[in-house]
Amino acid sequence: MEIPHILKSLIHNKAAFVLLALQVAITLAVLVNALALVKRSREIIDEPNGMDSQNIIAILSIPFDPQFNEESYMQARLREDLDYLRHIPGVVNATTLNSIPGDIGSNNGIYADGRDSNTGTSAGTFSADEHTFDTLGIEIVEGRNFLPEEIFYSSWPPSDETLPQIGVITSKLAHHLFGDEPAVGKTVYAVGLKKTIIGVVDVFRGRNPILGDSQMSMFFPGYNSGKRASSTYLVRTEPGLVDPLIAEIEEKLLALNEGRDINQINPLTDNLANATGLQAYGGLVLLCISGLLVVTTALGIYGMASFAVTKRIKQIGTRRALGATRTAIVRYFFLENLLTTGTGIILGCALAIPLNVVMSDLGLGRADLMVTSWGIVFVMLVGQASVLIPAYKASLVSPAEATRCL
Amino acid sequence: MRYDLKLALLSIRRNPVLSVLIIAAIGLGIGVFMILLTAYHLLERNPLPQKSEQVYRVLVDAWDLNGEPSQGVWRSGEPPYMMTYIDAMNLMTSDVPTYHAAMFQSVMYLQPADPHPSIKRPFRVTARVTFSGFFPMFDTPFVYGGGWASASDEGPDPVVVISSETNDRLFGGADSIGNSIDLNGTLFTIVGVMDRWRPTPLFYNFMTLGLGVSPPADVFIPFHFFERMQLGNNGADMGWKRWDPGFENWLQSESTWLQFWAQLDSNEQKAQYLDFLDSYATEQKKVGRFQRPLNNRVYDVMTWIKAVTYPLNGPALVFLILGILYLFVCIINLVGMLLGKFLGRMHEVSVRRALGAPRSAIFRQHLFEVALLGLLGGLLGLGISQLVLTIIRARFDLLETLFSLDGYLLGVALGVSLLAGLVAGLLPAWRACSAAPAIYLSTE
């Protein structure tokens, strides 16, 4: 029954109404998009990476002693490090790869049959030994693991024709190359050579997403030991031992060989978090902006409502004098705000769509119904909360004000 | 004018809470806008303003006939962004460019040659392995000495140029010319100490990520040490053709991994150099190496930066639009606050009007006040944006020049805040001067 009156008053105060509605509209549009972006980056971060990453330590050892130029010396040191790492109490397994999962590592074209075909794709490429899959905690779902006798010292990329021409691929890559057919036993062309697939592993999100689909990877057997190559080790520990073991391992590795630097030793989760960092920071910036927008808009609503109350003291007094209850006065302001924010929300939805089209074109996340509804509810609540104090103040206006001259 | 200023100051002081809110509203709007504008502006920065149009990235198309280098920021139709060792060494024989240099980045370990009070273990440094042309071509500043002579490009002297940071760390900033440092077990003699040099973005070292936000190298050594010491490449390496394992085979392979830059001062020189590149490519086609149609290019610095940063344009633009929207909301908010502020003192305005002040004087008085508020808000906004950017820089260990304030950004900040204040003040000021004074006087 009050709505027609409110509408009349809103039309009378066009400027304030339009300004507030616009403000709410922009706030909602940005908020919805920010939520969509944050949701998207959370999804990327929370996607299972397939690895037992909570219990893995990543180590990067860079040699500088000229002795490392001797391949035999380099290989002996690699063997020494691995032996030490595998025998630490609390360590489940240890391996060496050409690059740490999540880092920007190697990337190669993998083709199902011949280079010219359209069946190829680019994929992350890793060197691996017979301990690699156990260390990563990824499961072989088809075929078999590498055997110790298939692992040789080689430089990277694995283009040496004299080595075993075999490889293990992720199930996503297998599906991309061969559809539903079994991949084991098929050949692919990679690094210029024909390689036979001997195994398929389950989800492994080890490729940096900047390079492409993080689940597309291929493993080649071998120890990456070119001249003065840096060595990358992964150590899988029993649950909860990552942090206590890091300092111990660093000290021991340096004592084992002083001619190198332990450039990096940290939980593998650090590398994986860095890989998705860009999206996360984008989301954070957007969230900060929308947080500021919400606060600014709330202040704006509060300011306008306070102003309206001051301006209408005599009116309110008159209404009270004519028998309106305090609740009725409060209800009036809440309803008025509901109409303004409601208009803003409708405008905001219209504005959010083009903004979201641009964002999803850039791969920054799509706003769905869920995110939009949460945004609407939130903005609605903020609007109502912002008029709380002015409405309460209005309800305190004494009916005697009606008789007073302003 | 002075009377307007006096009235404005009086009005700002009379209602301090509201004035602070108004200044904060403009300040926050400008602050957020400036942060996002600075990030956007980053993509348009010229790291070599004095000669960016004479310095060129050189690209020759040595790629596979049947494929394309489809990685990173590379775009279809362009030659590969890096160069093979064979091509880089062949191009270095040209005498057309004023200066030219092939280059790459390596990781080395530095140890002081003499016992050092605090440095006991070798520490990691980034090394730019390049030619003598690097220094004059990029106008690198020096505190002591200079780049090595072109004779040292042939060897055998182990000479090194170090950055001022490295010099501070090793020699406390003293003149270290003639001293030696140990790099991966070889003693190098210092011939130059660079002054602080911060080309932003680091245009010559763009890799797959596209945004060069790291400082230039810690040490610079002649290219021939790459072969002698068999240094590794700490950058992207893209190839299409298999090669047999081994360092020598890698050198002779079709892997692209070197950056090549040349200085061409005039259009004739540029045309002459392009002719040279085409005849080189034709020759390589004859011997069966190059297979694709002639597609050699030289990109000046800004063209090159645009070519490798384009994936960032979209996100940067989205954020800039958000900044503008936020500023807009702040302005809308401001209109509301100013309406309240001005209407709240209609009585005073009415007295002025009744005493004979024309509407234009009232209008001017109010606009003057909002302009002042706008500028104050703009200053606050600049402060906020600089504070936030400093925190971001420190948090992510970025270059201090990365988000630095230049004349352009300063001008934009103050201009936009003044404009924001005036736009927001227009309606309230108009309302204030157009109201009939009698209403407000009579109610008293």
Side-chain angles (χ1 to χ4, degrees), chain B residues 125-180:
Chain B
V125 289
T126 54
R128 184 129 292 254
V129 186
T130 185
F131 289 83
S132 58
F134 180 95
F135 308 99
M137 178 163 59
F138 294 153
D139 264 356
T140 58
F142 280 94
V143 218
Y144 306 116
W148 56 82
S150 52
S152 292
D153 282 338
E154 311 294 327
D157 308 329
V159 287
V160 63
V161 166
I162 62 176
S163 68
S164 60
E165 290 80 2
T166 311
N167 193 52
D168 290 347
R169 187 165 178 185
L170 290 173
F171 302 101
D175 184 349
S176 58
I177 303 297
N179 286 325
S180 291

Side-chain angles (χ1 to χ4, degrees), chain A residues 177-190:
Chain A
L177 293 173
F178 307 111
D180 293 330
E181 290 173 46
V184 171
K186 294 234 168 41
T187 54
V188 296
Y189 290 82

